[in-house]
Amino acid sequence: MKHSSRENRLEADVLVIGGGIAGCFAAIKASEQGAEVILVDKGYVGKSGQTPYARSFMAFNPDWGHNLDVWMDYINKTSEYVNNRYWTKVTIRESYARYQDLVSWGVHFRTDQDGQPIRSSMPPGVTDLLLIDDKTKGEYALILRKQAVRSEVKILDRITITELLKQDGRIVGAVGMPPDSYDLYTFIATATILCVGACGFKPAGYPPIVQLTADGEAMAYRAGAEILGKEFVDTHSTRMDTPIGIPNMLGRNKDVPDDLKVLIGPGRGKPEIDAEGDKIPDRPADASHYGYTYLERELIAHAGRAPITTPTPDGDKEVVGGACLGMSLRKADGIWPADNNCGSSLPGLYAAGDALGNMQNGAVYALSGSAIAGGAVTGTIAGVAAAKEALQMEKLTVEQKEIARAKGVVFAPIERQGGFSPRWVTQLLQNTMMPYFISYIKKADRLQAALTVVEFIQEHLVPKLFAGDPHELRLAHETKNMVLNAEMRLRSALFRTESRGNHYREDYPRRDDPIWLAWTKIKEEQGKMTLIKVPVPKEWWPDLSTPYQQRYPFRFPGE
Amino acid sequence: MANVRIDPGLCNGCGICVKSCPADVIRMDPETDKAVIQYPQECVICCWCFVECPEDAVLILPEIKTSPLFTSWG
């Protein structure tokens, strides 16, 4: 070893990796079952990931006149029939109980004069979401942390988990490192829950996902887990002058000085106008009501009608795509759920929140506030199931040779004398994946061209990533994981030879029922990334006797 | 990358900015016990450090607005 490292070994019944809403729920619920729980986070539990930025929570309550069939019918259609109806239904049904948990832990929601929660119907007249009170907006994630501490969860902040431990086919924990030393942290756990959030390529336009570099998926894939395909892209846009996410954070608990007010960006939520003066068209009413989080802007840019601008008191500001580069629609990528307990295809490994690819929303965003509710619901299911499994089992002993293998993986980039810097490889990856005609408006030849570049990065640059200090060591692992995410995205996009929801192929512009009423599953077989088509159960298909135009009110260009 | 500074005269060494930074930009200087911007390359202007600092010691310079975003089209 070039550098000395101190080894810290910790043991638990349940190891939860990632401390956003899914991770906190998983840890708290596992602990309530009587399990010894460790919660480890790359950042600081209560401040990391996207959770602190959330402002609303979807909640279903029959006492408020909600009808499950109405909600389901709406989501099934807008999601273009590839939502997983089991998980959609579970998320809806259990959302209110999780809202009650949050209230009991001290999270405040906005209420009316009678003390009843203010409900914001989104989409209009269909589903409801509750608004986190401004007083606890941002702070509510810290309330989750406090509840985890009260529940006797052991929290370790600022440890980046880089590799899962596997023994006799079972995941038995993980190893990681802090950002400021070469210490090794080894976690031995009977059950491990990945709650690591979404996957991105560190896009500058959306700070909340700077940490979310597909670490969990990449670890799970390398260990042999199955991953949900990644063809349904997240299309959030950003402003050239004010990256999104910042307005949620700035001004939260102190006044914003005048010279930073530009970052808050007046005029959000106003209409967006293309270069010819036309407003971005709304989707047909029965297709969706969820703002512009579709491919409309990309289609306008592709047609040569950019720049797209939005009016503000400071003049028109330019709106651009790629804010969430590398990310799928929430829950449209992640660990493939192999059972109804958020278990993966590997014994001992669970996933929850955005790390679980349960397709609760299908091929487009169907519901506002459902991502955060889904995190709470799946965190609870995974936490309870993992604890029950762990408490029934004997404590594990993990052989030293497996820990030594994982340690070798962790420190490989600092053992190299030189090679390629993770910052440069990350930039190369961003430049390869960012153009709208690669990740958003897709076609086989362009996807293949990008894949050729990414394969070269994978084969020739990733094995030669080097790090000069512990900070760069973290960057090296993040870069390695982002490259794997890019390969998965491109292969999934090539694999789905149709268009549906937020997956648009110029060379296959129609939905292809029933051939592509299916999900894409990814796994490593004999060293190769393999894609498998998994049909949506027939009882969840739309009525194929209804005309195509009625099944799919939105038309893609070229259909 | 952003133009962020920490005023050593105002920093009380509490370290809350180090904990808050999602990108590991800030470190405590072991000699002065003050926070320093160690890895500005990784800053994404999320403003957590600015929001959390109890002493208003974090200065985010307004010229960051001119930092180019690499975008999906342009």
PDB file of all heavy atoms in Angstrom, chain A residues 44 47 158 179 211 246 252-254 320 423 434 436 469 471 474, chain B residues 19-20 22 24 27 39 42 45 48 50-53 56 70 72:
ATOM      1  N   TYR A  44     -24.105  14.648   4.867  1.00  0.00           N
ATOM      2  CA  TYR A  44     -24.585  14.757   6.243  1.00  0.00           C
ATOM      3  C   TYR A  44     -26.074  14.438   6.254  1.00  0.00           C
ATOM      4  O   TYR A  44     -26.858  15.101   5.551  1.00  0.00           O
ATOM      5  CB  TYR A  44     -24.331  16.178   6.754  1.00  0.00           C
ATOM      6  CG  TYR A  44     -24.704  16.399   8.200  1.00  0.00           C
ATOM      7  CD1 TYR A  44     -23.804  16.082   9.215  1.00  0.00           C
ATOM      8  CD2 TYR A  44     -25.946  16.928   8.544  1.00  0.00           C
ATOM      9  CE1 TYR A  44     -24.145  16.295  10.547  1.00  0.00           C
ATOM     10  CE2 TYR A  44     -26.286  17.147   9.869  1.00  0.00           C
ATOM     11  CZ  TYR A  44     -25.382  16.829  10.867  1.00  0.00           C
ATOM     12  OH  TYR A  44     -25.712  17.035  12.176  1.00  0.00           O
ATOM     13  N   LYS A  47     -29.041  16.801   5.314  1.00  0.00           N
ATOM     14  CA  LYS A  47     -28.683  17.872   4.383  1.00  0.00           C
ATOM     15  C   LYS A  47     -28.285  17.338   3.020  1.00  0.00           C
ATOM     16  O   LYS A  47     -27.987  18.126   2.123  1.00  0.00           O
ATOM     17  CB  LYS A  47     -27.509  18.678   4.948  1.00  0.00           C
ATOM     18  CG  LYS A  47     -27.827  19.334   6.264  1.00  0.00           C
ATOM     19  CD  LYS A  47     -26.682  20.184   6.772  1.00  0.00           C
ATOM     20  CE  LYS A  47     -27.026  20.666   8.173  1.00  0.00           C
ATOM     21  NZ  LYS A  47     -26.496  21.975   8.456  1.00  0.00           N
ATOM     22  N   ARG A 158     -20.603  11.472   6.146  1.00  0.00           N
ATOM     23  CA  ARG A 158     -19.426  11.716   5.312  1.00  0.00           C
ATOM     24  C   ARG A 158     -18.568  10.467   5.118  1.00  0.00           C
ATOM     25  O   ARG A 158     -17.351  10.496   5.177  1.00  0.00           O
ATOM     26  CB  ARG A 158     -18.595  12.865   5.871  1.00  0.00           C
ATOM     27  CG  ARG A 158     -19.396  14.169   5.989  1.00  0.00           C
ATOM     28  CD  ARG A 158     -18.554  15.324   6.430  1.00  0.00           C
ATOM     29  NE  ARG A 158     -17.835  15.900   5.307  1.00  0.00           N
ATOM     30  CZ  ARG A 158     -16.582  16.323   5.380  1.00  0.00           C
ATOM     31  NH1 ARG A 158     -15.918  16.237   6.494  1.00  0.00           N
ATOM     32  NH2 ARG A 158     -15.990  16.842   4.327  1.00  0.00           N
ATOM     33  N   PRO A 179     -13.867  11.469   3.359  1.00  0.00           N
ATOM     34  CA  PRO A 179     -13.287  12.305   2.300  1.00  0.00           C
ATOM     35  C   PRO A 179     -11.907  12.863   2.634  1.00  0.00           C
ATOM     36  O   PRO A 179     -11.266  13.442   1.774  1.00  0.00           O
ATOM     37  CB  PRO A 179     -14.305  13.442   2.168  1.00  0.00           C
ATOM     38  CG  PRO A 179     -14.896  13.558   3.520  1.00  0.00           C
ATOM     39  CD  PRO A 179     -14.892  12.185   4.120  1.00  0.00           C
ATOM     40  N   GLN A 211     -24.236  14.988  -5.572  1.00  0.00           N
ATOM     41  CA  GLN A 211     -23.670  13.804  -4.900  1.00  0.00           C
ATOM     42  C   GLN A 211     -24.165  12.499  -5.504  1.00  0.00           C
ATOM     43  O   GLN A 211     -23.672  11.440  -5.156  1.00  0.00           O
ATOM     44  CB  GLN A 211     -24.145  13.738  -3.440  1.00  0.00           C
ATOM     45  CG  GLN A 211     -23.724  14.814  -2.539  1.00  0.00           C
ATOM     46  CD  GLN A 211     -24.614  14.806  -1.302  1.00  0.00           C
ATOM     47  OE1 GLN A 211     -25.827  14.913  -1.394  1.00  0.00           O
ATOM     48  NE2 GLN A 211     -23.995  14.671  -0.144  1.00  0.00           N
ATOM     49  N   ILE A 246     -31.494  26.165  -6.471  1.00  0.00           N
ATOM     50  CA  ILE A 246     -30.969  27.243  -5.628  1.00  0.00           C
ATOM     51  C   ILE A 246     -32.086  28.083  -4.998  1.00  0.00           C
ATOM     52  O   ILE A 246     -32.018  28.406  -3.807  1.00  0.00           O
ATOM     53  CB  ILE A 246     -29.981  28.123  -6.424  1.00  0.00           C
ATOM     54  CG1 ILE A 246     -28.722  27.303  -6.712  1.00  0.00           C
ATOM     55  CG2 ILE A 246     -29.612  29.375  -5.652  1.00  0.00           C
ATOM     56  CD1 ILE A 246     -27.715  28.011  -7.560  1.00  0.00           C
ATOM     57  N   ARG A 252     -33.799  30.603   2.800  1.00  0.00           N
ATOM     58  CA  ARG A 252     -34.554  29.689   3.658  1.00  0.00           C
ATOM     59  C   ARG A 252     -34.570  30.173   5.096  1.00  0.00           C
ATOM     60  O   ARG A 252     -35.603  30.169   5.743  1.00  0.00           O
ATOM     61  CB  ARG A 252     -33.963  28.285   3.570  1.00  0.00           C
ATOM     62  CG  ARG A 252     -34.699  27.247   4.343  1.00  0.00           C
ATOM     63  CD  ARG A 252     -34.419  25.867   3.801  1.00  0.00           C
ATOM     64  NE  ARG A 252     -33.016  25.541   3.770  1.00  0.00           N
ATOM     65  CZ  ARG A 252     -32.321  25.190   4.834  1.00  0.00           C
ATOM     66  NH1 ARG A 252     -32.899  25.137   6.016  1.00  0.00           N
ATOM     67  NH2 ARG A 252     -31.052  24.884   4.743  1.00  0.00           N
ATOM     68  N   ASN A 253     -33.408  30.566   5.595  1.00  0.00           N
ATOM     69  CA  ASN A 253     -33.414  31.011   6.986  1.00  0.00           C
ATOM     70  C   ASN A 253     -32.641  32.313   7.207  1.00  0.00           C
ATOM     71  O   ASN A 253     -32.296  32.649   8.311  1.00  0.00           O
ATOM     72  CB  ASN A 253     -32.870  29.909   7.908  1.00  0.00           C
ATOM     73  CG  ASN A 253     -31.492  29.462   7.493  1.00  0.00           C
ATOM     74  OD1 ASN A 253     -30.913  30.005   6.574  1.00  0.00           O
ATOM     75  ND2 ASN A 253     -30.959  28.477   8.187  1.00  0.00           N
ATOM     76  N   LYS A 254     -32.336  32.998   6.118  1.00  0.00           N
ATOM     77  CA  LYS A 254     -31.765  34.344   6.278  1.00  0.00           C
ATOM     78  C   LYS A 254     -32.034  35.144   5.016  1.00  0.00           C
ATOM     79  O   LYS A 254     -32.294  34.584   3.958  1.00  0.00           O
ATOM     80  CB  LYS A 254     -30.270  34.285   6.587  1.00  0.00           C
ATOM     81  CG  LYS A 254     -29.412  33.700   5.484  1.00  0.00           C
ATOM     82  CD  LYS A 254     -27.931  33.909   5.770  1.00  0.00           C
ATOM     83  CE  LYS A 254     -27.403  32.981   6.859  1.00  0.00           C
ATOM     84  NZ  LYS A 254     -25.933  32.927   6.887  1.00  0.00           N
ATOM     85  N   VAL A 320     -32.919  26.367 -20.749  1.00  0.00           N
ATOM     86  CA  VAL A 320     -32.216  25.327 -21.504  1.00  0.00           C
ATOM     87  C   VAL A 320     -32.436  23.956 -20.869  1.00  0.00           C
ATOM     88  O   VAL A 320     -32.799  23.843 -19.696  1.00  0.00           O
ATOM     89  CB  VAL A 320     -30.694  25.615 -21.567  1.00  0.00           C
ATOM     90  CG1 VAL A 320     -30.402  26.755 -22.514  1.00  0.00           C
ATOM     91  CG2 VAL A 320     -30.139  25.870 -20.189  1.00  0.00           C
ATOM     92  N   ARG A 423     -11.692  14.377 -12.739  1.00  0.00           N
ATOM     93  CA  ARG A 423     -12.375  15.615 -13.185  1.00  0.00           C
ATOM     94  C   ARG A 423     -12.442  15.649 -14.711  1.00  0.00           C
ATOM     95  O   ARG A 423     -13.466  15.997 -15.292  1.00  0.00           O
ATOM     96  CB  ARG A 423     -11.643  16.848 -12.663  1.00  0.00           C
ATOM     97  CG  ARG A 423     -11.772  17.044 -11.166  1.00  0.00           C
ATOM     98  CD  ARG A 423     -11.195  18.386 -10.733  1.00  0.00           C
ATOM     99  NE  ARG A 423     -11.238  18.517  -9.285  1.00  0.00           N
ATOM    100  CZ  ARG A 423     -10.211  18.230  -8.481  1.00  0.00           C
ATOM    101  NH1 ARG A 423      -9.064  17.805  -8.974  1.00  0.00           N
ATOM    102  NH2 ARG A 423     -10.335  18.371  -7.176  1.00  0.00           N
ATOM    103  N   MET A 434     -24.364  15.146 -22.891  1.00  0.00           N
ATOM    104  CA  MET A 434     -25.240  16.311 -22.728  1.00  0.00           C
ATOM    105  C   MET A 434     -26.009  16.737 -23.982  1.00  0.00           C
ATOM    106  O   MET A 434     -27.174  17.149 -23.870  1.00  0.00           O
ATOM    107  CB  MET A 434     -24.422  17.494 -22.184  1.00  0.00           C
ATOM    108  CG  MET A 434     -25.201  18.784 -21.975  1.00  0.00           C
ATOM    109  SD  MET A 434     -26.595  18.590 -20.846  1.00  0.00           S
ATOM    110  CE  MET A 434     -25.911  19.285 -19.335  1.00  0.00           C
ATOM    111  N   TYR A 436     -28.543  17.529 -26.747  1.00  0.00           N
ATOM    112  CA  TYR A 436     -29.942  17.083 -26.752  1.00  0.00           C
ATOM    113  C   TYR A 436     -30.162  15.911 -27.696  1.00  0.00           C
ATOM    114  O   TYR A 436     -31.030  15.064 -27.487  1.00  0.00           O
ATOM    115  CB  TYR A 436     -30.866  18.261 -27.138  1.00  0.00           C
ATOM    116  CG  TYR A 436     -30.941  18.527 -28.611  1.00  0.00           C
ATOM    117  CD1 TYR A 436     -31.837  17.820 -29.413  1.00  0.00           C
ATOM    118  CD2 TYR A 436     -30.081  19.433 -29.223  1.00  0.00           C
ATOM    119  CE1 TYR A 436     -31.869  18.017 -30.781  1.00  0.00           C
ATOM    120  CE2 TYR A 436     -30.108  19.631 -30.578  1.00  0.00           C
ATOM    121  CZ  TYR A 436     -31.007  18.919 -31.363  1.00  0.00           C
ATOM    122  OH  TYR A 436     -31.034  19.095 -32.712  1.00  0.00           O
ATOM    123  N   ASP A 469      -5.341  12.403  -3.576  1.00  0.00           N
ATOM    124  CA  ASP A 469      -5.695  12.541  -2.159  1.00  0.00           C
ATOM    125  C   ASP A 469      -7.081  11.912  -1.936  1.00  0.00           C
ATOM    126  O   ASP A 469      -7.725  11.480  -2.897  1.00  0.00           O
ATOM    127  CB  ASP A 469      -5.638  14.012  -1.716  1.00  0.00           C
ATOM    128  CG  ASP A 469      -6.692  14.885  -2.401  1.00  0.00           C
ATOM    129  OD1 ASP A 469      -7.647  14.337  -3.000  1.00  0.00           O
ATOM    130  OD2 ASP A 469      -6.566  16.119  -2.317  1.00  0.00           O
ATOM    131  N   HIS A 471      -9.962  13.134  -1.279  1.00  0.00           N
ATOM    132  CA  HIS A 471     -11.034  13.834  -1.993  1.00  0.00           C
ATOM    133  C   HIS A 471     -11.109  13.345  -3.441  1.00  0.00           C
ATOM    134  O   HIS A 471     -12.187  13.047  -3.967  1.00  0.00           O
ATOM    135  CB  HIS A 471     -10.769  15.344  -1.946  1.00  0.00           C
ATOM    136  CG  HIS A 471     -11.690  16.168  -2.782  1.00  0.00           C
ATOM    137  ND1 HIS A 471     -12.902  16.618  -2.333  1.00  0.00           N
ATOM    138  CD2 HIS A 471     -11.570  16.621  -4.058  1.00  0.00           C
ATOM    139  CE1 HIS A 471     -13.498  17.326  -3.285  1.00  0.00           C
ATOM    140  NE2 HIS A 471     -12.709  17.326  -4.348  1.00  0.00           N
ATOM    141  N   ARG A 474     -12.569   9.847  -3.831  1.00  0.00           N
ATOM    142  CA  ARG A 474     -14.032   9.834  -3.954  1.00  0.00           C
ATOM    143  C   ARG A 474     -14.444  10.195  -5.379  1.00  0.00           C
ATOM    144  O   ARG A 474     -15.313   9.550  -5.963  1.00  0.00           O
ATOM    145  CB  ARG A 474     -14.635  10.813  -2.933  1.00  0.00           C
ATOM    146  CG  ARG A 474     -16.094  11.151  -3.202  1.00  0.00           C
ATOM    147  CD  ARG A 474     -16.700  12.020  -2.106  1.00  0.00           C
ATOM    148  NE  ARG A 474     -17.767  12.861  -2.646  1.00  0.00           N
ATOM    149  CZ  ARG A 474     -18.534  13.664  -1.908  1.00  0.00           C
ATOM    150  NH1 ARG A 474     -18.374  13.730  -0.606  1.00  0.00           N
ATOM    151  NH2 ARG A 474     -19.463  14.407  -2.468  1.00  0.00           N
TER     152      ARG A 474
ATOM    153  N   LYS B  19     -19.878  20.267   7.023  1.00  0.00           N
ATOM    154  CA  LYS B  19     -20.901  19.217   7.060  1.00  0.00           C
ATOM    155  C   LYS B  19     -21.944  19.419   5.971  1.00  0.00           C
ATOM    156  O   LYS B  19     -22.488  18.471   5.434  1.00  0.00           O
ATOM    157  CB  LYS B  19     -21.627  19.232   8.408  1.00  0.00           C
ATOM    158  CG  LYS B  19     -20.848  18.661   9.555  1.00  0.00           C
ATOM    159  CD  LYS B  19     -21.731  18.729  10.797  1.00  0.00           C
ATOM    160  CE  LYS B  19     -20.970  18.337  12.040  1.00  0.00           C
ATOM    161  NZ  LYS B  19     -21.737  18.643  13.240  1.00  0.00           N
ATOM    162  N   SER B  20     -22.263  20.675   5.687  1.00  0.00           N
ATOM    163  CA  SER B  20     -23.378  20.958   4.787  1.00  0.00           C
ATOM    164  C   SER B  20     -23.018  20.787   3.317  1.00  0.00           C
ATOM    165  O   SER B  20     -23.895  20.559   2.494  1.00  0.00           O
ATOM    166  CB  SER B  20     -23.864  22.399   4.991  1.00  0.00           C
ATOM    167  OG  SER B  20     -24.222  22.600   6.334  1.00  0.00           O
ATOM    168  N   PRO B  22     -22.362  19.373  -0.039  1.00  0.00           N
ATOM    169  CA  PRO B  22     -22.538  18.053  -0.632  1.00  0.00           C
ATOM    170  C   PRO B  22     -21.378  17.630  -1.525  1.00  0.00           C
ATOM    171  O   PRO B  22     -21.279  16.475  -1.899  1.00  0.00           O
ATOM    172  CB  PRO B  22     -23.824  18.208  -1.457  1.00  0.00           C
ATOM    173  CG  PRO B  22     -23.862  19.641  -1.830  1.00  0.00           C
ATOM    174  CD  PRO B  22     -23.223  20.387  -0.682  1.00  0.00           C
ATOM    175  N   ASP B  24     -18.002  18.334  -0.903  1.00  0.00           N
ATOM    176  CA  ASP B  24     -16.716  18.259  -0.209  1.00  0.00           C
ATOM    177  C   ASP B  24     -15.761  19.362  -0.663  1.00  0.00           C
ATOM    178  O   ASP B  24     -14.585  19.114  -0.901  1.00  0.00           O
ATOM    179  CB  ASP B  24     -16.088  16.858  -0.428  1.00  0.00           C
ATOM    180  CG  ASP B  24     -14.859  16.642   0.445  1.00  0.00           C
ATOM    181  OD1 ASP B  24     -14.816  17.206   1.559  1.00  0.00           O
ATOM    182  OD2 ASP B  24     -13.940  15.934   0.000  1.00  0.00           O
ATOM    183  N   ARG B  27     -13.084  22.561   3.891  1.00  0.00           N
ATOM    184  CA  ARG B  27     -12.368  21.832   4.937  1.00  0.00           C
ATOM    185  C   ARG B  27     -12.007  22.767   6.087  1.00  0.00           C
ATOM    186  O   ARG B  27     -11.939  23.977   5.895  1.00  0.00           O
ATOM    187  CB  ARG B  27     -11.066  21.234   4.380  1.00  0.00           C
ATOM    188  CG  ARG B  27     -11.272  20.098   3.416  1.00  0.00           C
ATOM    189  CD  ARG B  27     -11.801  18.871   4.144  1.00  0.00           C
ATOM    190  NE  ARG B  27     -12.189  17.846   3.197  1.00  0.00           N
ATOM    191  CZ  ARG B  27     -11.336  17.065   2.573  1.00  0.00           C
ATOM    192  NH1 ARG B  27     -10.045  17.185   2.777  1.00  0.00           N
ATOM    193  NH2 ARG B  27     -11.778  16.166   1.739  1.00  0.00           N
ATOM    194  N   TYR B  39     -11.472  22.848  -2.294  1.00  0.00           N
ATOM    195  CA  TYR B  39     -11.632  22.288  -3.644  1.00  0.00           C
ATOM    196  C   TYR B  39     -12.698  23.085  -4.413  1.00  0.00           C
ATOM    197  O   TYR B  39     -13.812  22.603  -4.626  1.00  0.00           O
ATOM    198  CB  TYR B  39     -12.051  20.812  -3.566  1.00  0.00           C
ATOM    199  CG  TYR B  39     -11.058  19.928  -2.858  1.00  0.00           C
ATOM    200  CD1 TYR B  39     -11.255  19.535  -1.539  1.00  0.00           C
ATOM    201  CD2 TYR B  39      -9.917  19.480  -3.524  1.00  0.00           C
ATOM    202  CE1 TYR B  39     -10.341  18.728  -0.889  1.00  0.00           C
ATOM    203  CE2 TYR B  39      -8.991  18.677  -2.884  1.00  0.00           C
ATOM    204  CZ  TYR B  39      -9.212  18.305  -1.559  1.00  0.00           C
ATOM    205  OH  TYR B  39      -8.307  17.499  -0.919  1.00  0.00           O
ATOM    206  N   GLU B  42     -15.084  21.770  -7.353  1.00  0.00           N
ATOM    207  CA  GLU B  42     -16.277  20.946  -7.192  1.00  0.00           C
ATOM    208  C   GLU B  42     -17.526  21.745  -6.800  1.00  0.00           C
ATOM    209  O   GLU B  42     -18.619  21.190  -6.710  1.00  0.00           O
ATOM    210  CB  GLU B  42     -16.030  19.865  -6.128  1.00  0.00           C
ATOM    211  CG  GLU B  42     -15.506  18.555  -6.683  1.00  0.00           C
ATOM    212  CD  GLU B  42     -14.103  18.663  -7.232  1.00  0.00           C
ATOM    213  OE1 GLU B  42     -13.156  18.822  -6.452  1.00  0.00           O
ATOM    214  OE2 GLU B  42     -13.963  18.587  -8.466  1.00  0.00           O
ATOM    215  N   ILE B  45     -22.424  25.853  -6.512  1.00  0.00           N
ATOM    216  CA  ILE B  45     -23.208  27.027  -6.083  1.00  0.00           C
ATOM    217  C   ILE B  45     -24.535  26.630  -5.439  1.00  0.00           C
ATOM    218  O   ILE B  45     -25.557  27.308  -5.639  1.00  0.00           O
ATOM    219  CB  ILE B  45     -23.531  28.005  -7.249  1.00  0.00           C
ATOM    220  CG1 ILE B  45     -22.619  27.811  -8.443  1.00  0.00           C
ATOM    221  CG2 ILE B  45     -23.482  29.431  -6.771  1.00  0.00           C
ATOM    222  CD1 ILE B  45     -23.072  28.627  -9.650  1.00  0.00           C
ATOM    223  N   TRP B  48     -25.667  25.972   0.232  1.00  0.00           N
ATOM    224  CA  TRP B  48     -25.853  25.428   1.577  1.00  0.00           C
ATOM    225  C   TRP B  48     -24.943  26.147   2.583  1.00  0.00           C
ATOM    226  O   TRP B  48     -25.367  26.498   3.687  1.00  0.00           O
ATOM    227  CB  TRP B  48     -25.514  23.941   1.613  1.00  0.00           C
ATOM    228  CG  TRP B  48     -26.652  22.989   1.405  1.00  0.00           C
ATOM    229  CD1 TRP B  48     -26.875  22.258   0.281  1.00  0.00           C
ATOM    230  CD2 TRP B  48     -27.692  22.632   2.324  1.00  0.00           C
ATOM    231  NE1 TRP B  48     -27.987  21.471   0.444  1.00  0.00           N
ATOM    232  CE2 TRP B  48     -28.510  21.683   1.690  1.00  0.00           C
ATOM    233  CE3 TRP B  48     -28.005  23.036   3.625  1.00  0.00           C
ATOM    234  CZ2 TRP B  48     -29.626  21.117   2.298  1.00  0.00           C
ATOM    235  CZ3 TRP B  48     -29.121  22.471   4.240  1.00  0.00           C
ATOM    236  CH2 TRP B  48     -29.916  21.536   3.578  1.00  0.00           C
ATOM    237  N   PHE B  50     -23.593  29.097   2.545  1.00  0.00           N
ATOM    238  CA  PHE B  50     -24.054  30.467   2.791  1.00  0.00           C
ATOM    239  C   PHE B  50     -25.273  30.472   3.713  1.00  0.00           C
ATOM    240  O   PHE B  50     -25.361  31.248   4.667  1.00  0.00           O
ATOM    241  CB  PHE B  50     -24.404  31.133   1.451  1.00  0.00           C
ATOM    242  CG  PHE B  50     -25.113  32.441   1.595  1.00  0.00           C
ATOM    243  CD1 PHE B  50     -24.397  33.607   1.799  1.00  0.00           C
ATOM    244  CD2 PHE B  50     -26.501  32.505   1.551  1.00  0.00           C
ATOM    245  CE1 PHE B  50     -25.055  34.817   1.951  1.00  0.00           C
ATOM    246  CE2 PHE B  50     -27.160  33.704   1.705  1.00  0.00           C
ATOM    247  CZ  PHE B  50     -26.437  34.868   1.911  1.00  0.00           C
ATOM    248  N   VAL B  51     -26.212  29.559   3.431  1.00  0.00           N
ATOM    249  CA  VAL B  51     -27.462  29.530   4.193  1.00  0.00           C
ATOM    250  C   VAL B  51     -27.207  29.120   5.641  1.00  0.00           C
ATOM    251  O   VAL B  51     -27.807  29.654   6.565  1.00  0.00           O
ATOM    252  CB  VAL B  51     -28.463  28.566   3.508  1.00  0.00           C
ATOM    253  CG1 VAL B  51     -29.659  28.308   4.408  1.00  0.00           C
ATOM    254  CG2 VAL B  51     -28.923  29.131   2.176  1.00  0.00           C
ATOM    255  N   GLU B  52     -26.289  28.164   5.834  1.00  0.00           N
ATOM    256  CA  GLU B  52     -26.099  27.597   7.170  1.00  0.00           C
ATOM    257  C   GLU B  52     -25.171  28.420   8.067  1.00  0.00           C
ATOM    258  O   GLU B  52     -25.255  28.320   9.289  1.00  0.00           O
ATOM    259  CB  GLU B  52     -25.531  26.177   7.043  1.00  0.00           C
ATOM    260  CG  GLU B  52     -26.486  25.196   6.373  1.00  0.00           C
ATOM    261  CD  GLU B  52     -27.685  24.843   7.249  1.00  0.00           C
ATOM    262  OE1 GLU B  52     -27.461  24.427   8.395  1.00  0.00           O
ATOM    263  OE2 GLU B  52     -28.820  25.003   6.789  1.00  0.00           O
ATOM    264  N   CYS B  53     -24.272  29.193   7.494  1.00  0.00           N
ATOM    265  CA  CYS B  53     -23.235  29.860   8.309  1.00  0.00           C
ATOM    266  C   CYS B  53     -23.864  30.818   9.329  1.00  0.00           C
ATOM    267  O   CYS B  53     -24.568  31.766   8.954  1.00  0.00           O
ATOM    268  CB  CYS B  53     -22.272  30.635   7.418  1.00  0.00           C
ATOM    269  SG  CYS B  53     -21.022  31.517   8.388  1.00  0.00           S
ATOM    270  N   ASP B  56     -22.389  34.610   8.949  1.00  0.00           N
ATOM    271  CA  ASP B  56     -22.364  35.260   7.625  1.00  0.00           C
ATOM    272  C   ASP B  56     -20.933  35.431   7.101  1.00  0.00           C
ATOM    273  O   ASP B  56     -20.576  36.476   6.545  1.00  0.00           O
ATOM    274  CB  ASP B  56     -23.080  36.630   7.665  1.00  0.00           C
ATOM    275  CG  ASP B  56     -24.584  36.469   7.832  1.00  0.00           C
ATOM    276  OD1 ASP B  56     -25.098  35.367   7.527  1.00  0.00           O
ATOM    277  OD2 ASP B  56     -25.241  37.420   8.265  1.00  0.00           O
ATOM    278  N   PHE B  70     -22.833  24.223 -19.116  1.00  0.00           N
ATOM    279  CA  PHE B  70     -22.816  23.421 -20.332  1.00  0.00           C
ATOM    280  C   PHE B  70     -24.205  22.828 -20.464  1.00  0.00           C
ATOM    281  O   PHE B  70     -24.689  22.132 -19.582  1.00  0.00           O
ATOM    282  CB  PHE B  70     -21.753  22.323 -20.280  1.00  0.00           C
ATOM    283  CG  PHE B  70     -21.623  21.622 -21.608  1.00  0.00           C
ATOM    284  CD1 PHE B  70     -21.093  22.293 -22.703  1.00  0.00           C
ATOM    285  CD2 PHE B  70     -22.053  20.325 -21.778  1.00  0.00           C
ATOM    286  CE1 PHE B  70     -20.996  21.676 -23.937  1.00  0.00           C
ATOM    287  CE2 PHE B  70     -21.964  19.702 -23.009  1.00  0.00           C
ATOM    288  CZ  PHE B  70     -21.433  20.371 -24.095  1.00  0.00           C
ATOM    289  N   SER B  72     -27.807  21.510 -22.870  1.00  0.00           N
ATOM    290  CA  SER B  72     -28.217  20.499 -23.832  1.00  0.00           C
ATOM    291  C   SER B  72     -28.297  21.060 -25.256  1.00  0.00           C
ATOM    292  O   SER B  72     -28.252  20.327 -26.216  1.00  0.00           O
ATOM    293  CB  SER B  72     -29.576  19.968 -23.388  1.00  0.00           C
ATOM    294  OG  SER B  72     -29.839  18.750 -23.981  1.00  0.00           O
TER     295      SER B  72
END
